[in-house]
Amino acid sequence: MTHTSILRFPDGFLWGAATAAHQNEGGNRNNQWAAWEQQPGRIHNGAVAGAATDWWNLETAAADFDRAAELGLNSLRLSVEWSRIEPEQGVFDQTALRKYTEMIGLLRARGIEPMVTLHHFTDPLWLTDLGAWENSRVEGYFTRFVARVVEALGDQVTLWCTINEPLVYAYLGYLGGYFPPGVNDPRRAFNVLRRMLLAHGRAYRTIHRLQGNARVGLAHNVRVFLPGDPARAADRYAVALLDRIANRNVYDAITRGRLNPPLGLGQQVTHLIDACDYIGVNYYSPGRAAFDPARPGQFFTRQFLSPKAELSDITPNGEAYGEIDPHGLYLALTQAAAYGKPLYITENGVPDHDDDVRPRFIATHLAETWRAIRDGADVRGFYHWTLVDNFEWAAAWSLRFGLFDFDRETQTRTPRTSAAVYSRIAQANGVPVNLLEQVAPGYGSGLDAGS
Ligand code: FCB
């Protein structure tokens, strides 16, 4: 580490922040999350997204885009809200589409390349009434919506993310009961996941039909599992099984077109073969897994946090959000890279209200990204979750992920130290070694930086 001063990233690397419509726009009342927020006991402290960070007001959005540009970011991931664009089944709102055109124009005017997500957890209420992603017609509904968006925004957008975290939508909504519709039924969860992957494939084809130079992928919430006891074969088996179910099944579906159990019987779906131009990796923390014969419903596995690990902020259920482990990102990237596609880190971040961890978190996760690139992963961009603290779903305003602190009462944004750290990295197109040494003393010596 003495012979290099920067962990340099490839030319043209995208340095971004990731956001989502319902968490930022405010005023979304026509989707299933807004309805869920009205139900007692669903959201921490009974909170609602409400005005959120007020991005539907384009002046506010523009001011935040200025903040991103001032940090030196050259990309921003944002989503469009289906329930605004298609408020009733088959009825498309041109005013909403025009507003998104303007919003994206504001990014472009600042030299910020948009990555547009077409589905980020929220469904219009009309779709909820039809059974949402359990309805066999959802693929058709989704692709019709996607086509309208691409026709409207295609002049300004070529980087598309079809669906954010199908696994999380399916699991938390249909296995944990933590997200709407609050169901607990594995069969339904896997059915939803399968339909989302199939719909991704249709959306992929639709976008390419409309736009020759599109780059289309989905954002997968990578679960990096570590064995509870590495010496125990049963725990290693638990890890391999969970890895197959949570990660490899998704990659196999969108690259090889295979629907492996429990998503299918191993059949190959033509429209899913090679259905991505990149894989979007969302990584926050690893999970520990152990074999547990008492849990047949969980594939005989138990997941837990290591008491020895460094933990991030506590969620409303009293547990830490996750373990902090930059090396997990290296593992996530090298695993995904083996599928032969370019990668974007579509989300990475940490809930850290006092920002005592985030500066180190950012620098070390990017150091591990650099190492994965050195070892052959074709990583094209990194999106920190998130720019300004926003509505964190069921945890509402209690988890703070922003580079900017957000005061909901006054709508005031205040930059955290981590904003300056990320800014230095983005502007240098790499991690300056002295910065890494400053925020994570000793970390660089394990990296074998080369020249
Ligand atoms: C991801 C979601 C994103 C945000 C972060 C913290 O799972 O995609 O909307 O909530 O977690």
Side-chain angles (χ1 to χ4, degrees), residues 19-20 23 77 120-121 164-165 168 172 179 221 282 284 321 347 351 385 390-393 399 401:
T19 67
Q23 296 175 273
R77 178 173 170 233
H120 196 125
F121 293 166
N164 180 69
E165 300 186 347
V168 171
L172 293 187
F179 273 23
N221 174 57
N282 287 6
Y284 288 85
Y321 182 80
E347 288 179 29
W385 184 274
N390 61 19
F391 178 72
E392 183 45 37
W393 309 110
L399 293 180
F401 280 89

Side-chain angles (χ1 to χ4, degrees), residues 33-34 48 64 76 97 101 105-106 111 156 164 214 230 234 243-244 261 367:
W33 264 93
V48 294
D64 280 343
L76 188 97
L97 280 169
T101 315
L106 294 172
Q156 304 188 88
N164 180 69
D243 178 46
R244 162 134 304 282

